[in-house]
Amino acid sequence: MLVATFIIGLREGLEMSLVIGILLAHLRRTGRSYAAPKIWWGVGSAVVVSFIAGAILTFGRYSLSFKAQEIIGGTMSILAVVMITSMVFWMMSHGATLQRDLEESVDKSVAKTATTAAGWGIFWLAFVTVAREGLETTIIILSWSSAAQAFIGAILGILIAAVLGVLLNRGMVRINLSVFFMWTGGLLIILAAGILAYGIHDLQEAAVLPGPFSGAPITPTDPLTGAVLVGFASSPFWLAAYPFGWAWDLSSSIAPDGFFAALAKGTVGWTPQMTWLEVTIWFLFITVALTAFLFKVRAQLKERRAVPAKKPVPVSTNTIVKIKELQA
């Protein structure tokens, strides 16, 4: 869980750092540094809003019934998956033009007068950018786990991203951002599949979806023992466990709260006890989303290889003679 939320925090935090760095650099370059404080006001306000939203979502759920908590948790998980997937594909499509688009937005938002009253448009640009990323991070983490290590991982990732953002904008460190976003994009697709499976599990526990839980509709049971059917078991009725029974139940041999289970859940979404519906949705999402992602990566790599390298412009003999005459 720590590793998963660290990757999410690092990715989201670096995106925020790059955006803020681009905005500040453009203001300095165009002589509008007077509007820079409004960027920081926007950043600070967005951080406060993200923390308030996180507190409401965290503590507000405690006063609800178990079923309501599971419904909210499952719904948030599905929303988080939509956010992650759209973020990955949006960044791949617009990453190359991100700086130009932001600079155009700055030019439209900031008044071209050197007055301290000007530039409140840049406040809203920074606020919306950071608030969007902050709320995405909050929803993603809370939809998956409220454990302390999940928040620690996210905070560490965001802090490291902030440091990297400062170093990148000052030219003290260089990172191939296209490669970074490509690798983290693939990892986020895998993490999103796990979050989706977790959300399906919550909705099954809340009896919104059919499953092997008490009170859930269409629970497949062994007609001889009455136990919920488990796939790959010795029971002759194991085939009937699909699609609403247990795919496997290894909780007696692998502790669900142990290190291995936590690591597997935080990386590929595997848990010792999973339903067939979880596994099926996980597999379908991985197949479709990861295939689309790899096709996108392949197309981008092909485009880069197709761009011809810039050839040096030949200098004529007359030009060389004139340069020497000027130097003399």
Side-chain angles (χ1 to χ4, degrees), residues 261-297:
L263 180 63
K265 179 182 177 181
T267 51
V268 296
W270 184 92
T271 60
Q273 189 182 48
M274 295 186 72
T275 69
W276 271 120
L277 192 58
E278 286 182 78
V279 175
T280 302
I281 297 296
W282 181 94
F283 178 79
L284 291 175
F285 178 85
I286 281 285
T287 302
V288 175
L290 201 55
T291 300
F293 175 79
L294 293 176
F295 271 109
K296 191 79 173 176
V297 170

PDB file of all heavy atoms in Angstrom, residues 261-297:
ATOM      1  N   ALA A 261       0.413  -9.989   1.657  1.00  0.00           N
ATOM      2  CA  ALA A 261      -0.913  -9.629   1.147  1.00  0.00           C
ATOM      3  C   ALA A 261      -1.002  -8.130   0.886  1.00  0.00           C
ATOM      4  O   ALA A 261      -1.569  -7.693  -0.131  1.00  0.00           O
ATOM      5  CB  ALA A 261      -1.993 -10.059   2.133  1.00  0.00           C
ATOM      6  N   ALA A 262      -0.428  -7.323   1.793  1.00  0.00           N
ATOM      7  CA  ALA A 262      -0.452  -5.871   1.609  1.00  0.00           C
ATOM      8  C   ALA A 262       0.353  -5.457   0.385  1.00  0.00           C
ATOM      9  O   ALA A 262      -0.055  -4.571  -0.382  1.00  0.00           O
ATOM     10  CB  ALA A 262       0.092  -5.174   2.858  1.00  0.00           C
ATOM     11  N   LEU A 263       1.519  -6.119   0.187  1.00  0.00           N
ATOM     12  CA  LEU A 263       2.349  -5.799  -0.972  1.00  0.00           C
ATOM     13  C   LEU A 263       1.650  -6.173  -2.271  1.00  0.00           C
ATOM     14  O   LEU A 263       1.653  -5.404  -3.241  1.00  0.00           O
ATOM     15  CB  LEU A 263       3.688  -6.546  -0.866  1.00  0.00           C
ATOM     16  CG  LEU A 263       4.688  -6.323  -2.007  1.00  0.00           C
ATOM     17  CD1 LEU A 263       5.123  -4.868  -2.059  1.00  0.00           C
ATOM     18  CD2 LEU A 263       5.894  -7.245  -1.845  1.00  0.00           C
ATOM     19  N   ALA A 264       1.038  -7.361  -2.300  1.00  0.00           N
ATOM     20  CA  ALA A 264       0.339  -7.808  -3.508  1.00  0.00           C
ATOM     21  C   ALA A 264      -0.873  -6.926  -3.811  1.00  0.00           C
ATOM     22  O   ALA A 264      -1.129  -6.585  -4.965  1.00  0.00           O
ATOM     23  CB  ALA A 264      -0.112  -9.261  -3.339  1.00  0.00           C
ATOM     24  N   LYS A 265      -1.588  -6.524  -2.777  1.00  0.00           N
ATOM     25  CA  LYS A 265      -2.749  -5.662  -2.980  1.00  0.00           C
ATOM     26  C   LYS A 265      -2.323  -4.281  -3.471  1.00  0.00           C
ATOM     27  O   LYS A 265      -2.968  -3.687  -4.341  1.00  0.00           O
ATOM     28  CB  LYS A 265      -3.529  -5.522  -1.669  1.00  0.00           C
ATOM     29  CG  LYS A 265      -4.745  -4.606  -1.784  1.00  0.00           C
ATOM     30  CD  LYS A 265      -5.458  -4.468  -0.455  1.00  0.00           C
ATOM     31  CE  LYS A 265      -6.626  -3.504  -0.572  1.00  0.00           C
ATOM     32  NZ  LYS A 265      -7.336  -3.320   0.722  1.00  0.00           N
ATOM     33  N   GLY A 266      -1.213  -3.769  -2.936  1.00  0.00           N
ATOM     34  CA  GLY A 266      -0.754  -2.444  -3.299  1.00  0.00           C
ATOM     35  C   GLY A 266      -0.044  -2.362  -4.629  1.00  0.00           C
ATOM     36  O   GLY A 266       0.256  -1.262  -5.100  1.00  0.00           O
ATOM     37  N   THR A 267       0.235  -3.488  -5.265  1.00  0.00           N
ATOM     38  CA  THR A 267       0.935  -3.466  -6.550  1.00  0.00           C
ATOM     39  C   THR A 267       0.062  -3.983  -7.690  1.00  0.00           C
ATOM     40  O   THR A 267      -0.128  -3.286  -8.689  1.00  0.00           O
ATOM     41  CB  THR A 267       2.227  -4.296  -6.469  1.00  0.00           C
ATOM     42  OG1 THR A 267       1.922  -5.603  -5.935  1.00  0.00           O
ATOM     43  CG2 THR A 267       3.249  -3.613  -5.565  1.00  0.00           C
ATOM     44  N   VAL A 268      -0.473  -5.180  -7.558  1.00  0.00           N
ATOM     45  CA  VAL A 268      -1.260  -5.762  -8.654  1.00  0.00           C
ATOM     46  C   VAL A 268      -2.717  -5.969  -8.286  1.00  0.00           C
ATOM     47  O   VAL A 268      -3.503  -6.453  -9.105  1.00  0.00           O
ATOM     48  CB  VAL A 268      -0.647  -7.111  -9.103  1.00  0.00           C
ATOM     49  CG1 VAL A 268       0.740  -6.903  -9.665  1.00  0.00           C
ATOM     50  CG2 VAL A 268      -0.621  -8.116  -7.953  1.00  0.00           C
ATOM     51  N   GLY A 269      -3.110  -5.592  -7.056  1.00  0.00           N
ATOM     52  CA  GLY A 269      -4.506  -5.711  -6.669  1.00  0.00           C
ATOM     53  C   GLY A 269      -4.930  -7.091  -6.218  1.00  0.00           C
ATOM     54  O   GLY A 269      -6.129  -7.360  -6.092  1.00  0.00           O
ATOM     55  N   TRP A 270      -3.963  -7.976  -5.935  1.00  0.00           N
ATOM     56  CA  TRP A 270      -4.293  -9.337  -5.515  1.00  0.00           C
ATOM     57  C   TRP A 270      -4.484  -9.400  -4.012  1.00  0.00           C
ATOM     58  O   TRP A 270      -3.732  -8.790  -3.253  1.00  0.00           O
ATOM     59  CB  TRP A 270      -3.175 -10.290  -5.925  1.00  0.00           C
ATOM     60  CG  TRP A 270      -3.463 -11.734  -5.622  1.00  0.00           C
ATOM     61  CD1 TRP A 270      -4.046 -12.646  -6.441  1.00  0.00           C
ATOM     62  CD2 TRP A 270      -3.160 -12.442  -4.398  1.00  0.00           C
ATOM     63  NE1 TRP A 270      -4.136 -13.872  -5.820  1.00  0.00           N
ATOM     64  CE2 TRP A 270      -3.605 -13.786  -4.562  1.00  0.00           C
ATOM     65  CE3 TRP A 270      -2.570 -12.075  -3.190  1.00  0.00           C
ATOM     66  CZ2 TRP A 270      -3.464 -14.732  -3.572  1.00  0.00           C
ATOM     67  CZ3 TRP A 270      -2.446 -13.024  -2.190  1.00  0.00           C
ATOM     68  CH2 TRP A 270      -2.881 -14.341  -2.389  1.00  0.00           C
ATOM     69  N   THR A 271      -5.505 -10.126  -3.564  1.00  0.00           N
ATOM     70  CA  THR A 271      -5.721 -10.371  -2.142  1.00  0.00           C
ATOM     71  C   THR A 271      -5.956 -11.862  -1.928  1.00  0.00           C
ATOM     72  O   THR A 271      -6.343 -12.581  -2.862  1.00  0.00           O
ATOM     73  CB  THR A 271      -6.940  -9.587  -1.608  1.00  0.00           C
ATOM     74  OG1 THR A 271      -8.111 -10.005  -2.320  1.00  0.00           O
ATOM     75  CG2 THR A 271      -6.745  -8.087  -1.787  1.00  0.00           C
ATOM     76  N   PRO A 272      -5.723 -12.377  -0.705  1.00  0.00           N
ATOM     77  CA  PRO A 272      -5.898 -13.811  -0.460  1.00  0.00           C
ATOM     78  C   PRO A 272      -7.323 -14.310  -0.671  1.00  0.00           C
ATOM     79  O   PRO A 272      -7.533 -15.511  -0.855  1.00  0.00           O
ATOM     80  CB  PRO A 272      -5.481 -13.972   1.015  1.00  0.00           C
ATOM     81  CG  PRO A 272      -4.605 -12.804   1.291  1.00  0.00           C
ATOM     82  CD  PRO A 272      -5.160 -11.692   0.461  1.00  0.00           C
ATOM     83  N   GLN A 273      -8.287 -13.413  -0.625  1.00  0.00           N
ATOM     84  CA  GLN A 273      -9.689 -13.806  -0.795  1.00  0.00           C
ATOM     85  C   GLN A 273     -10.333 -12.870  -1.821  1.00  0.00           C
ATOM     86  O   GLN A 273     -10.530 -11.691  -1.564  1.00  0.00           O
ATOM     87  CB  GLN A 273     -10.428 -13.717   0.544  1.00  0.00           C
ATOM     88  CG  GLN A 273     -11.829 -14.310   0.517  1.00  0.00           C
ATOM     89  CD  GLN A 273     -12.534 -14.143   1.851  1.00  0.00           C
ATOM     90  OE1 GLN A 273     -12.550 -13.069   2.428  1.00  0.00           O
ATOM     91  NE2 GLN A 273     -13.116 -15.225   2.355  1.00  0.00           N
ATOM     92  N   MET A 274     -10.663 -13.416  -3.001  1.00  0.00           N
ATOM     93  CA  MET A 274     -11.239 -12.599  -4.060  1.00  0.00           C
ATOM     94  C   MET A 274     -12.426 -13.317  -4.679  1.00  0.00           C
ATOM     95  O   MET A 274     -12.435 -14.550  -4.780  1.00  0.00           O
ATOM     96  CB  MET A 274     -10.200 -12.285  -5.148  1.00  0.00           C
ATOM     97  CG  MET A 274      -9.043 -11.429  -4.678  1.00  0.00           C
ATOM     98  SD  MET A 274      -7.920 -10.929  -6.018  1.00  0.00           S
ATOM     99  CE  MET A 274      -8.942  -9.727  -6.890  1.00  0.00           C
ATOM    100  N   THR A 275     -13.406 -12.532  -5.088  1.00  0.00           N
ATOM    101  CA  THR A 275     -14.579 -13.108  -5.737  1.00  0.00           C
ATOM    102  C   THR A 275     -14.324 -13.232  -7.237  1.00  0.00           C
ATOM    103  O   THR A 275     -13.450 -12.565  -7.804  1.00  0.00           O
ATOM    104  CB  THR A 275     -15.813 -12.214  -5.519  1.00  0.00           C
ATOM    105  OG1 THR A 275     -15.648 -10.988  -6.252  1.00  0.00           O
ATOM    106  CG2 THR A 275     -15.990 -11.891  -4.042  1.00  0.00           C
ATOM    107  N   TRP A 276     -15.115 -14.079  -7.882  1.00  0.00           N
ATOM    108  CA  TRP A 276     -14.979 -14.239  -9.328  1.00  0.00           C
ATOM    109  C   TRP A 276     -15.297 -12.940 -10.064  1.00  0.00           C
ATOM    110  O   TRP A 276     -14.689 -12.631 -11.090  1.00  0.00           O
ATOM    111  CB  TRP A 276     -15.906 -15.346  -9.824  1.00  0.00           C
ATOM    112  CG  TRP A 276     -15.294 -16.713  -9.818  1.00  0.00           C
ATOM    113  CD1 TRP A 276     -15.732 -17.810  -9.133  1.00  0.00           C
ATOM    114  CD2 TRP A 276     -14.135 -17.142 -10.541  1.00  0.00           C
ATOM    115  NE1 TRP A 276     -14.921 -18.883  -9.366  1.00  0.00           N
ATOM    116  CE2 TRP A 276     -13.923 -18.500 -10.241  1.00  0.00           C
ATOM    117  CE3 TRP A 276     -13.242 -16.504 -11.391  1.00  0.00           C
ATOM    118  CZ2 TRP A 276     -12.881 -19.241 -10.769  1.00  0.00           C
ATOM    119  CZ3 TRP A 276     -12.186 -17.229 -11.927  1.00  0.00           C
ATOM    120  CH2 TRP A 276     -12.018 -18.582 -11.618  1.00  0.00           C
ATOM    121  N   LEU A 277     -16.247 -12.163  -9.535  1.00  0.00           N
ATOM    122  CA  LEU A 277     -16.596 -10.912 -10.193  1.00  0.00           C
ATOM    123  C   LEU A 277     -15.431  -9.929 -10.121  1.00  0.00           C
ATOM    124  O   LEU A 277     -15.133  -9.234 -11.108  1.00  0.00           O
ATOM    125  CB  LEU A 277     -17.837 -10.304  -9.535  1.00  0.00           C
ATOM    126  CG  LEU A 277     -18.500  -9.136 -10.285  1.00  0.00           C
ATOM    127  CD1 LEU A 277     -18.918  -9.559 -11.696  1.00  0.00           C
ATOM    128  CD2 LEU A 277     -19.704  -8.610  -9.498  1.00  0.00           C
ATOM    129  N   GLU A 278     -14.743  -9.865  -8.981  1.00  0.00           N
ATOM    130  CA  GLU A 278     -13.542  -9.028  -8.855  1.00  0.00           C
ATOM    131  C   GLU A 278     -12.490  -9.417  -9.886  1.00  0.00           C
ATOM    132  O   GLU A 278     -11.927  -8.562 -10.589  1.00  0.00           O
ATOM    133  CB  GLU A 278     -12.927  -9.179  -7.465  1.00  0.00           C
ATOM    134  CG  GLU A 278     -13.633  -8.520  -6.331  1.00  0.00           C
ATOM    135  CD  GLU A 278     -12.865  -8.739  -5.040  1.00  0.00           C
ATOM    136  OE1 GLU A 278     -11.862  -8.042  -4.821  1.00  0.00           O
ATOM    137  OE2 GLU A 278     -13.257  -9.629  -4.257  1.00  0.00           O
ATOM    138  N   VAL A 279     -12.200 -10.716  -9.952  1.00  0.00           N
ATOM    139  CA  VAL A 279     -11.153 -11.203 -10.845  1.00  0.00           C
ATOM    140  C   VAL A 279     -11.513 -10.937 -12.303  1.00  0.00           C
ATOM    141  O   VAL A 279     -10.658 -10.519 -13.108  1.00  0.00           O
ATOM    142  CB  VAL A 279     -10.919 -12.713 -10.604  1.00  0.00           C
ATOM    143  CG1 VAL A 279      -9.910 -13.266 -11.609  1.00  0.00           C
ATOM    144  CG2 VAL A 279     -10.429 -12.945  -9.179  1.00  0.00           C
ATOM    145  N   THR A 280     -12.768 -11.152 -12.649  1.00  0.00           N
ATOM    146  CA  THR A 280     -13.192 -10.942 -14.034  1.00  0.00           C
ATOM    147  C   THR A 280     -13.073  -9.477 -14.441  1.00  0.00           C
ATOM    148  O   THR A 280     -12.536  -9.155 -15.515  1.00  0.00           O
ATOM    149  CB  THR A 280     -14.644 -11.406 -14.212  1.00  0.00           C
ATOM    150  OG1 THR A 280     -14.759 -12.790 -13.845  1.00  0.00           O
ATOM    151  CG2 THR A 280     -15.100 -11.236 -15.649  1.00  0.00           C
ATOM    152  N   ILE A 281     -13.567  -8.575 -13.580  1.00  0.00           N
ATOM    153  CA  ILE A 281     -13.483  -7.139 -13.877  1.00  0.00           C
ATOM    154  C   ILE A 281     -12.028  -6.689 -13.942  1.00  0.00           C
ATOM    155  O   ILE A 281     -11.639  -5.900 -14.809  1.00  0.00           O
ATOM    156  CB  ILE A 281     -14.256  -6.326 -12.819  1.00  0.00           C
ATOM    157  CG1 ILE A 281     -15.750  -6.684 -12.862  1.00  0.00           C
ATOM    158  CG2 ILE A 281     -14.049  -4.842 -13.025  1.00  0.00           C
ATOM    159  CD1 ILE A 281     -16.439  -6.319 -14.160  1.00  0.00           C
ATOM    160  N   TRP A 282     -11.205  -7.192 -13.006  1.00  0.00           N
ATOM    161  CA  TRP A 282      -9.763  -6.858 -13.007  1.00  0.00           C
ATOM    162  C   TRP A 282      -9.125  -7.271 -14.333  1.00  0.00           C
ATOM    163  O   TRP A 282      -8.402  -6.492 -14.959  1.00  0.00           O
ATOM    164  CB  TRP A 282      -9.081  -7.577 -11.842  1.00  0.00           C
ATOM    165  CG  TRP A 282      -7.614  -7.294 -11.715  1.00  0.00           C
ATOM    166  CD1 TRP A 282      -7.024  -6.339 -10.934  1.00  0.00           C
ATOM    167  CD2 TRP A 282      -6.537  -7.979 -12.383  1.00  0.00           C
ATOM    168  NE1 TRP A 282      -5.654  -6.385 -11.079  1.00  0.00           N
ATOM    169  CE2 TRP A 282      -5.329  -7.380 -11.957  1.00  0.00           C
ATOM    170  CE3 TRP A 282      -6.478  -9.030 -13.282  1.00  0.00           C
ATOM    171  CZ2 TRP A 282      -4.078  -7.807 -12.411  1.00  0.00           C
ATOM    172  CZ3 TRP A 282      -5.240  -9.445 -13.747  1.00  0.00           C
ATOM    173  CH2 TRP A 282      -4.052  -8.838 -13.309  1.00  0.00           C
ATOM    174  N   PHE A 283      -9.404  -8.499 -14.772  1.00  0.00           N
ATOM    175  CA  PHE A 283      -8.801  -9.013 -16.001  1.00  0.00           C
ATOM    176  C   PHE A 283      -9.259  -8.217 -17.226  1.00  0.00           C
ATOM    177  O   PHE A 283      -8.454  -7.862 -18.092  1.00  0.00           O
ATOM    178  CB  PHE A 283      -9.147 -10.496 -16.170  1.00  0.00           C
ATOM    179  CG  PHE A 283      -8.617 -11.098 -17.440  1.00  0.00           C
ATOM    180  CD1 PHE A 283      -7.291 -11.466 -17.549  1.00  0.00           C
ATOM    181  CD2 PHE A 283      -9.461 -11.288 -18.533  1.00  0.00           C
ATOM    182  CE1 PHE A 283      -6.794 -12.019 -18.727  1.00  0.00           C
ATOM    183  CE2 PHE A 283      -8.974 -11.834 -19.708  1.00  0.00           C
ATOM    184  CZ  PHE A 283      -7.637 -12.198 -19.804  1.00  0.00           C
ATOM    185  N   LEU A 284     -10.553  -7.926 -17.304  1.00  0.00           N
ATOM    186  CA  LEU A 284     -11.071  -7.177 -18.450  1.00  0.00           C
ATOM    187  C   LEU A 284     -10.480  -5.771 -18.504  1.00  0.00           C
ATOM    188  O   LEU A 284     -10.114  -5.272 -19.578  1.00  0.00           O
ATOM    189  CB  LEU A 284     -12.594  -7.105 -18.383  1.00  0.00           C
ATOM    190  CG  LEU A 284     -13.348  -8.418 -18.618  1.00  0.00           C
ATOM    191  CD1 LEU A 284     -14.847  -8.224 -18.394  1.00  0.00           C
ATOM    192  CD2 LEU A 284     -13.085  -8.943 -20.032  1.00  0.00           C
ATOM    193  N   PHE A 285     -10.382  -5.113 -17.340  1.00  0.00           N
ATOM    194  CA  PHE A 285      -9.833  -3.761 -17.310  1.00  0.00           C
ATOM    195  C   PHE A 285      -8.370  -3.763 -17.729  1.00  0.00           C
ATOM    196  O   PHE A 285      -7.946  -2.925 -18.545  1.00  0.00           O
ATOM    197  CB  PHE A 285      -9.976  -3.159 -15.909  1.00  0.00           C
ATOM    198  CG  PHE A 285      -9.394  -1.776 -15.797  1.00  0.00           C
ATOM    199  CD1 PHE A 285     -10.148  -0.667 -16.152  1.00  0.00           C
ATOM    200  CD2 PHE A 285      -8.096  -1.582 -15.355  1.00  0.00           C
ATOM    201  CE1 PHE A 285      -9.618   0.609 -16.070  1.00  0.00           C
ATOM    202  CE2 PHE A 285      -7.549  -0.307 -15.266  1.00  0.00           C
ATOM    203  CZ  PHE A 285      -8.317   0.791 -15.623  1.00  0.00           C
ATOM    204  N   ILE A 286      -7.589  -4.684 -17.178  1.00  0.00           N
ATOM    205  CA  ILE A 286      -6.165  -4.773 -17.537  1.00  0.00           C
ATOM    206  C   ILE A 286      -6.018  -5.021 -19.033  1.00  0.00           C
ATOM    207  O   ILE A 286      -5.190  -4.385 -19.716  1.00  0.00           O
ATOM    208  CB  ILE A 286      -5.475  -5.896 -16.736  1.00  0.00           C
ATOM    209  CG1 ILE A 286      -5.158  -5.423 -15.322  1.00  0.00           C
ATOM    210  CG2 ILE A 286      -4.205  -6.355 -17.424  1.00  0.00           C
ATOM    211  CD1 ILE A 286      -3.984  -4.476 -15.213  1.00  0.00           C
ATOM    212  N   THR A 287      -6.809  -5.943 -19.557  1.00  0.00           N
ATOM    213  CA  THR A 287      -6.706  -6.296 -20.977  1.00  0.00           C
ATOM    214  C   THR A 287      -6.993  -5.098 -21.872  1.00  0.00           C
ATOM    215  O   THR A 287      -6.229  -4.785 -22.799  1.00  0.00           O
ATOM    216  CB  THR A 287      -7.662  -7.440 -21.318  1.00  0.00           C
ATOM    217  OG1 THR A 287      -7.362  -8.574 -20.482  1.00  0.00           O
ATOM    218  CG2 THR A 287      -7.536  -7.841 -22.776  1.00  0.00           C
ATOM    219  N   VAL A 288      -8.089  -4.389 -21.592  1.00  0.00           N
ATOM    220  CA  VAL A 288      -8.491  -3.268 -22.457  1.00  0.00           C
ATOM    221  C   VAL A 288      -7.606  -2.045 -22.236  1.00  0.00           C
ATOM    222  O   VAL A 288      -7.042  -1.482 -23.192  1.00  0.00           O
ATOM    223  CB  VAL A 288      -9.974  -2.914 -22.212  1.00  0.00           C
ATOM    224  CG1 VAL A 288     -10.365  -1.672 -23.012  1.00  0.00           C
ATOM    225  CG2 VAL A 288     -10.867  -4.086 -22.584  1.00  0.00           C
ATOM    226  N   ALA A 289      -7.468  -1.614 -20.979  1.00  0.00           N
ATOM    227  CA  ALA A 289      -6.751  -0.368 -20.689  1.00  0.00           C
ATOM    228  C   ALA A 289      -5.259  -0.486 -20.986  1.00  0.00           C
ATOM    229  O   ALA A 289      -4.669   0.419 -21.588  1.00  0.00           O
ATOM    230  CB  ALA A 289      -6.960   0.028 -19.229  1.00  0.00           C
ATOM    231  N   LEU A 290      -4.644  -1.597 -20.581  1.00  0.00           N
ATOM    232  CA  LEU A 290      -3.205  -1.734 -20.808  1.00  0.00           C
ATOM    233  C   LEU A 290      -2.893  -1.904 -22.291  1.00  0.00           C
ATOM    234  O   LEU A 290      -1.879  -1.395 -22.785  1.00  0.00           O
ATOM    235  CB  LEU A 290      -2.668  -2.923 -20.006  1.00  0.00           C
ATOM    236  CG  LEU A 290      -1.162  -2.925 -19.723  1.00  0.00           C
ATOM    237  CD1 LEU A 290      -0.733  -1.636 -19.045  1.00  0.00           C
ATOM    238  CD2 LEU A 290      -0.787  -4.117 -18.857  1.00  0.00           C
ATOM    239  N   THR A 291      -3.767  -2.603 -23.009  1.00  0.00           N
ATOM    240  CA  THR A 291      -3.567  -2.738 -24.454  1.00  0.00           C
ATOM    241  C   THR A 291      -3.655  -1.380 -25.140  1.00  0.00           C
ATOM    242  O   THR A 291      -2.819  -1.027 -25.982  1.00  0.00           O
ATOM    243  CB  THR A 291      -4.610  -3.700 -25.060  1.00  0.00           C
ATOM    244  OG1 THR A 291      -4.479  -4.988 -24.438  1.00  0.00           O
ATOM    245  CG2 THR A 291      -4.409  -3.829 -26.557  1.00  0.00           C
ATOM    246  N   ALA A 292      -4.675  -0.586 -24.777  1.00  0.00           N
ATOM    247  CA  ALA A 292      -4.818   0.756 -25.349  1.00  0.00           C
ATOM    248  C   ALA A 292      -3.624   1.630 -24.993  1.00  0.00           C
ATOM    249  O   ALA A 292      -3.126   2.410 -25.825  1.00  0.00           O
ATOM    250  CB  ALA A 292      -6.113   1.395 -24.857  1.00  0.00           C
ATOM    251  N   PHE A 293      -3.137   1.501 -23.767  1.00  0.00           N
ATOM    252  CA  PHE A 293      -1.978   2.289 -23.323  1.00  0.00           C
ATOM    253  C   PHE A 293      -0.728   1.922 -24.121  1.00  0.00           C
ATOM    254  O   PHE A 293       0.008   2.801 -24.577  1.00  0.00           O
ATOM    255  CB  PHE A 293      -1.741   2.049 -21.835  1.00  0.00           C
ATOM    256  CG  PHE A 293      -0.506   2.712 -21.295  1.00  0.00           C
ATOM    257  CD1 PHE A 293      -0.505   4.067 -21.001  1.00  0.00           C
ATOM    258  CD2 PHE A 293       0.655   1.986 -21.084  1.00  0.00           C
ATOM    259  CE1 PHE A 293       0.639   4.681 -20.509  1.00  0.00           C
ATOM    260  CE2 PHE A 293       1.799   2.591 -20.600  1.00  0.00           C
ATOM    261  CZ  PHE A 293       1.786   3.939 -20.297  1.00  0.00           C
ATOM    262  N   LEU A 294      -0.499   0.625 -24.318  1.00  0.00           N
ATOM    263  CA  LEU A 294       0.687   0.179 -25.056  1.00  0.00           C
ATOM    264  C   LEU A 294       0.616   0.603 -26.524  1.00  0.00           C
ATOM    265  O   LEU A 294       1.642   0.959 -27.119  1.00  0.00           O
ATOM    266  CB  LEU A 294       0.831  -1.337 -24.936  1.00  0.00           C
ATOM    267  CG  LEU A 294       1.165  -1.856 -23.538  1.00  0.00           C
ATOM    268  CD1 LEU A 294       1.186  -3.375 -23.515  1.00  0.00           C
ATOM    269  CD2 LEU A 294       2.506  -1.305 -23.053  1.00  0.00           C
ATOM    270  N   PHE A 295      -0.578   0.570 -27.102  1.00  0.00           N
ATOM    271  CA  PHE A 295      -0.735   1.057 -28.476  1.00  0.00           C
ATOM    272  C   PHE A 295      -0.418   2.553 -28.554  1.00  0.00           C
ATOM    273  O   PHE A 295       0.205   3.014 -29.513  1.00  0.00           O
ATOM    274  CB  PHE A 295      -2.152   0.782 -28.987  1.00  0.00           C
ATOM    275  CG  PHE A 295      -2.314  -0.547 -29.646  1.00  0.00           C
ATOM    276  CD1 PHE A 295      -3.040  -1.566 -29.047  1.00  0.00           C
ATOM    277  CD2 PHE A 295      -1.728  -0.808 -30.882  1.00  0.00           C
ATOM    278  CE1 PHE A 295      -3.186  -2.812 -29.647  1.00  0.00           C
ATOM    279  CE2 PHE A 295      -1.865  -2.042 -31.493  1.00  0.00           C
ATOM    280  CZ  PHE A 295      -2.595  -3.045 -30.882  1.00  0.00           C
ATOM    281  N   LYS A 296      -0.829   3.291 -27.535  1.00  0.00           N
ATOM    282  CA  LYS A 296      -0.551   4.721 -27.493  1.00  0.00           C
ATOM    283  C   LYS A 296       0.946   4.971 -27.373  1.00  0.00           C
ATOM    284  O   LYS A 296       1.502   5.851 -28.053  1.00  0.00           O
ATOM    285  CB  LYS A 296      -1.290   5.343 -26.308  1.00  0.00           C
ATOM    286  CG  LYS A 296      -1.304   6.855 -26.291  1.00  0.00           C
ATOM    287  CD  LYS A 296      -2.318   7.407 -27.223  1.00  0.00           C
ATOM    288  CE  LYS A 296      -2.456   8.923 -27.081  1.00  0.00           C
ATOM    289  NZ  LYS A 296      -3.380   9.503 -28.048  1.00  0.00           N
ATOM    290  N   VAL A 297       1.599   4.212 -26.518  1.00  0.00           N
ATOM    291  CA  VAL A 297       3.059   4.340 -26.354  1.00  0.00           C
ATOM    292  C   VAL A 297       3.770   4.011 -27.661  1.00  0.00           C
ATOM    293  O   VAL A 297       4.689   4.729 -28.095  1.00  0.00           O
ATOM    294  CB  VAL A 297       3.554   3.415 -25.225  1.00  0.00           C
ATOM    295  CG1 VAL A 297       5.079   3.349 -25.216  1.00  0.00           C
ATOM    296  CG2 VAL A 297       3.040   3.903 -23.878  1.00  0.00           C
TER     297      VAL A 297
END
